[in-house]
Amino acid sequence: MPNANIFVFDSAPLLDEAALSFYLPQIEKKRQEGILRAKNKKEKAQRLATGLLIKHFLGERQIKNGPWGKPFVEGGPDFSLSHSGNLTAFALGDCPLGLDVQKIVLCREKVAARFFQKEEIDYLANGTDKDIAFCRLWTLKEAQCKATGLGIAHGFSSCQIRCTKKKALAIAQGIRLPFYFYEYSLSSYYLALCSSEKLLKKPLLSIMTLRDLR
């Protein structure tokens, strides 16, 4: 069975201009240019955190993009990235993966009506905490879309996520799809990993600091 690991980094220290100036030269020139074009400090910090994680785990390997934009490196390993608020998350494994992290916010019922299927909306309506239920569903759906490589634009409507208290399943036309979900609650964030194969064990989630990325 394949393995995977998840790494989470708080980009708040990179909001400091001195930290930005120190770490920016450590990543590739093209990514530096994208960071400098960012609209605000928060976006710059997120992009720099992404660059540092990629450099740390993938080195100088060339990253390509699939037909629908999923990043990959020739010959593996598979990886997936996500960020929300100050958190940037990175998953690394031996099979196709999709990772999503979301800061828990108020349930967006109009968004749910647009993107969720009937059974998913029923799950929200019957839940004791709509905010967490909405965030859980969104992270699971986005993680599954990333694992398939289809992305939100093409993958959100392709299947539904059936949630119980302890697990989630991907369903299409009444048939369970071969995807496996691993969920994590991180204070005010929710994180989900989707894999195309059953993993040997639930992936270890590690918290990283700037010292780890040097």
Side-chain angles (χ1 to χ4, degrees), residues 131-144:
D131 301 337
I132 292 177
F134 173 83
C135 187
R136 182 188 183 199
L137 262 177
W138 188 275
T139 56
L140 288 165
K141 286 179 75 70
E142 187 161 345
Q144 195 264 344

Side-chain angles (χ1 to χ4, degrees), residues 100 102 112 116-117 119-125 130-144 156 160-163 168-169 181 183 190 192:
D100 191 54
Q102 295 289 334
F116 291 177
Q117 297 188 25
E119 186 173 325
E120 295 167 338
I121 293 174
D122 290 344
Y123 168 76
L124 287 182
K130 280 190 175 182
D131 301 337
I132 292 177
F134 173 83
C135 187
R136 182 188 183 199
L137 262 177
W138 188 275
T139 56
L140 288 165
K141 286 179 75 70
E142 187 161 345
Q144 195 264 344
F156 251 44
Q160 72 179 50
I161 302 300
R162 182 174 296 167
C163 292
L169 303 174
F181 295 97
E183 303 175 59
Y190 203 86

Side-chain angles (χ1 to χ4, degrees), residues 8 16 27 58 61 90 112 133 147 157 161 163 175 196 205 210:
V8 175
D16 180 72
I27 60 176
L58 301 177
R61 302 180 72 178
F90 185 96
S157 61
I161 302 300
C163 292
I175 300 172
S196 64
L205 189 150
L210 277 174

Side-chain angles (χ1 to χ4, degrees), residues 49-195:
T50 298
L52 290 171
L53 286 166
I54 287 173
K55 180 187 176 184
H56 182 79
F57 290 108
L58 301 177
E60 303 300 323
R61 302 180 72 178
Q62 184 182 6
I63 296 176
K64 299 182 179 180
N65 293 97
W68 305 110
K70 179 178 171 65
F72 70 96
V73 291
E74 293 282 0
D78 203 88
F79 71 97
S80 186
L81 278 154
S82 181
H83 59 74
S84 180
N86 287 331
L87 288 191
T88 299
F90 185 96
L92 195 68
D94 305 323
C95 68
L97 302 172
L99 177 70
D100 191 54
V101 62
Q102 295 289 334
K103 188 173 178 62
I104 298 171
V105 296
L106 294 176
C107 176
R108 299 173 181 174
E109 294 188 4
K110 290 184 178 179
V111 174
R114 179 181 177 188
F115 290 104
F116 291 177
Q117 297 188 25
K118 183 182 182 302
E119 186 173 325
E120 295 167 338
I121 293 174
D122 290 344
Y123 168 76
L124 287 182
N126 296 328
T128 56
D129 190 323
K130 280 190 175 182
D131 301 337
I132 292 177
F134 173 83
C135 187
R136 182 188 183 199
L137 262 177
W138 188 275
T139 56
L140 288 165
K141 286 179 75 70
E142 187 161 345
Q144 195 264 344
C145 289
K146 289 181 175 181
T148 62
L150 293 176
I152 293 177
H154 302 278
F156 251 44
S157 61
S158 64
C159 79
Q160 72 179 50
I161 302 300
R162 182 174 296 167
C163 292
T164 66
K165 188 174 182 180
K166 293 186 177 181
K167 67 179 181 179
L169 303 174
I171 307 292
Q173 298 180 341
I175 300 172
R176 179 182 174 181
L177 300 177
F179 291 99
Y180 301 86
F181 295 97
Y182 305 88
E183 303 175 59
Y184 305 80
S185 182
L186 304 170
S187 184
S188 58
Y189 293 83
Y190 203 86
L191 184 148
L193 178 73
C194 177
S195 64

Side-chain angles (χ1 to χ4, degrees), residues 11-83:
S11 62
L14 296 175
L15 293 169
D16 180 72
E17 288 291 344
L20 180 68
S21 298
F22 179 81
Y23 287 100
L24 189 63
Q26 299 184 27
I27 60 176
E28 62 174 336
K29 189 70 175 178
K30 185 176 180 180
R31 196 173 293 275
Q32 290 181 37
E33 294 169 355
I35 292 168
L36 295 174
R37 288 196 300 269
K39 295 177 289 187
N40 53 57
K41 286 185 177 182
K42 182 177 179 180
E43 189 176 341
K44 286 181 180 179
Q46 286 178 338
R47 292 186 182 187
L48 179 54
T50 298
L52 290 171
L53 286 166
I54 287 173
K55 180 187 176 184
H56 182 79
F57 290 108
L58 301 177
E60 303 300 323
R61 302 180 72 178
Q62 184 182 6
I63 296 176
K64 299 182 179 180
N65 293 97
W68 305 110
K70 179 178 171 65
F72 70 96
V73 291
E74 293 282 0
D78 203 88
F79 71 97
S80 186
L81 278 154
S82 181
H83 59 74

